[in-house]
C-alpha cells in the first residue's frame, strides 16, 4: 500500500463519511458497538488479566469496524461475525494481530505510568473521587481536569502510531514493526487532516452534551431522556469507528479488489468509495 497525502479539509470529509455510512445501517453499527462493549464487560471481570485483554483487543475491534464499513459500501449485509472475520481462514494474520494487541497493551501501560509520574498524585485523585457528591464535582475539579488533559496528550501519539496498523497487517500483509512505522508516518504526513478530524468529533461530542441537557429539561420522564441520550451516544461512537475505514483508504493507495467476493475476508483489499 502506497502512502498518499491529503489536504487538511479531508479530515472533515472523514467525519462526514462516518456519519453518513452509519446512517445507512444505524442498527448494524450500534449493535457492533454494543456487542464489543458487552464482551469487554465480561472480559474485564477476569482477575488481573481482564483489563489487559480488553485493551489488547482494541486494535482488532477497530479492524472489525473497518471491515463492516467496507461491506456496507459494497451493499452487503453485515453480521456481528465481522468483528472476528480478520482471524478466520488459513491465511489469517492471527499471530501478527495478537502481537499488535500485545504492543498496544504495553504502550497503554507506559502511558499510564508516565501520567502518574508527570500528573497529579494518584492518592490525591482518589481523595477527590471519595469526597465527590456527584459527577459534576469530579468533572469540575482542576486536578481531575489536569489528569485527563495529561493522559489525553500522552495517548495521542500512541493512537496515531497504531491507527492504520491493523489494516496494514490485514490488507498489506505487513509485520507489526512495519505496520506501526508506516501508520505513524501516514498520520504525521497527514497531521493537518487528523487535527481537523479530531476537532470535528470533539465538537460533535460537545453538541451531544448540549443536546443531552436540553432533553433532560424538555422531557419530564428521566428514564426516557436517559435512554435517548445513551442511544445517541452509542450511535455517535459507532459512527466514529465506522469512519476509521475512510482514513485508511485515503492515506494509502489501495490494492485493486478481487474480481469476486472472497470466502476469506483476509484476502479482501480496501476499496475507496463515498458513502
Amino acid at each position: 500500500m502506497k502512502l498518499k497525502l491529503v489536504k487538511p479539509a479531508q479530515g472533515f470529509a472523514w467525519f462526514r463519511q462516518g456519519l453518513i455510512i452509519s446512517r445507512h445501517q444505524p442498527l448494524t453499527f450500534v449493535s457492533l458497538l454494543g456487542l464489543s462493549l458487552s464482551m469487554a464487560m465480561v472480559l474485564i471481570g477476569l482477575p488481573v488479566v481482564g483489563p489487559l485483554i480488553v485493551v489488547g483487543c482494541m486494535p482488532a475491534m477497530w479492524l472489525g469496524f473497518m471491515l463492516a464499513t467496507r461491506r456496507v459500501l459494497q451493499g452487503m449485509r453485515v453480521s456481528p461475525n465481522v468483528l472476528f472475520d480478520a482471524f478466520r481462514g488459513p491465511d489469517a494474520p492471527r499471530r501478527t494481530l495478537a502481537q499488535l494487541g500485545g504492543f498496544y497493551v504495553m504502550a497503554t501501560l507506559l502511558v499510564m505510568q508516565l501520567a502518574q509520574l508527570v500528573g497529579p498524585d494518584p492518592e490525591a485523585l482518589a481523595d477527590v473521587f471519595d469526597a465527590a457528591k456527584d459527577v459534576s464535582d469530579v468533572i469540575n475539579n482542576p486536578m481531575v481536569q489536569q489528569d485527563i488533559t495529561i493522559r489525553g496528550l500522552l495517548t495521542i501519539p500512541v493512537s496515531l502510531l497504531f491507527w492504520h496498523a491493523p489494516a496494514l497487517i490485514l490488507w498489506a500483509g505487513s509485520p507489526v514493526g512495519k505496520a506501526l512505522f508506516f501508520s505513524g508516518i501516514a498520520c504525521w504526513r497527514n497531521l493537518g487532516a487528523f487535527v481537523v478530524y479530531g476537532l470535528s468529533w470533539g465538537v460533535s461530542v460537545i453538541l451531544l452534551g448540549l443536546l443531552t441537557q436540553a432533553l433532560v429539561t424538555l422531557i419530564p420522564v428521566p428514564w426516557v431522556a436517559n435512554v435517548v441520550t445513551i442511544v445517541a451516544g452509542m450511535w455517535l461512537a459507532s459512527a466514529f469507528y465506522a469512519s476509521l475505514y475512510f482514513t485508511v483508504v485515503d492515506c494509502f493507495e489501495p490494492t485493486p479488489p478481487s474480481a469476486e467476493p472472497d470466502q476469506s475476508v483476509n484476502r479482501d483489499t480496501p476499496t475507496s468509495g463515498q458513502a
Side-chain angles (χ1 to χ4, degrees):
M1 300 177 104
K2 184 180 178 181
L3 175 64
K4 295 193 298 185
L5 302 182
V6 298
K7 297 180 180 179
Q10 191 64 27
F12 182 77
W14 297 335
F15 164 75
R16 180 175 174 273
Q17 288 170 320
L19 294 178
I20 294 175
I21 197 67
S22 61
R23 193 177 63 192
H24 285 180
Q25 293 190 26
L27 293 180
T28 294
F29 288 104
V30 171
S31 64
L32 289 178
L33 180 62
L35 177 60
S36 300
L37 293 175
S38 298
M39 291 189 296
M41 293 298 294
V42 172
L43 291 173
I44 206 169
L46 298 176
V48 183
V49 298
L52 299 179
I53 294 176
V54 172
V55 173
C57 289
M58 288 296 292
M61 186 196 75
W62 306 340
L63 186 55
F65 270 88
M66 292 181 197
L67 293 171
T69 299
R70 180 182 183 275
R71 293 189 174 187
V72 172
L73 285 170
Q74 293 177 332
M76 301 171 62
R77 176 173 293 183
V78 179
S79 70
N81 291 334
V82 73
L83 292 174
F84 312 100
D85 280 351
F87 296 88
R88 297 179 178 179
D91 298 328
R94 290 181 288 269
R95 177 176 296 181
T96 309
L97 289 173
Q99 291 174 347
L100 180 68
F103 278 110
Y104 190 67
V105 170
M106 291 188 290
T108 302
L109 292 175
L110 178 61
V111 166
M112 294 174 62
Q113 291 298 319
L114 290 176
Q116 291 183 359
L117 289 175
V118 302
D121 182 67
E123 294 184 0
L125 278 175
D127 293 339
V128 170
F129 281 92
D130 292 338
K133 297 180 180 179
D134 52 38
V135 177
S136 62
D137 290 341
V138 175
I139 296 177
N140 295 326
N141 188 281
M143 190 179 300
V144 174
Q145 294 175 351
Q146 180 186 0
D147 183 66
I148 293 174
T149 301
I150 291 174
R151 290 178 184 273
L153 292 175
L154 291 174
T155 301
I156 288 175
V158 174
S159 299
L160 296 180
L161 190 64
F162 283 83
W163 197 277
H164 301 101
L168 292 174
I169 289 173
L170 180 65
W171 286 318
S174 302
V176 173
K178 186 176 180 180
L180 291 173
F181 175 77
F182 282 105
S183 177
I185 292 296
C187 291
W188 177 253
R189 296 290 300 275
N190 294 304
L191 187 59
F194 279 96
V195 169
V196 174
Y197 177 71
L199 290 176
S200 299
W201 286 111
V203 170
S204 68
V205 171
I206 294 174
L207 292 177
L208 180 62
L210 296 176
L211 177 61
T212 300
Q213 295 180 357
L215 286 175
V216 172
T217 303
L218 296 174
I219 300 178
V221 185
W223 71 268
V224 175
N226 291 336
V227 169
V228 173
T229 300
I230 292 173
V231 172
M234 290 188 66
W235 177 78
L236 187 65
S238 65
F240 165 73
Y241 287 115
S243 70
L244 297 179
Y245 175 83
F246 300 104
T247 69
V248 172
V249 298
D250 281 344
C251 288
F252 293 92
E253 189 72 40
T255 304
S258 303
E260 58 184 45
D262 54 343
Q263 298 300 319
S264 170
V265 74
N266 302 294
R267 294 191 180 92
D268 278 353
T269 50
T271 55
S272 59
Q274 298 294 326

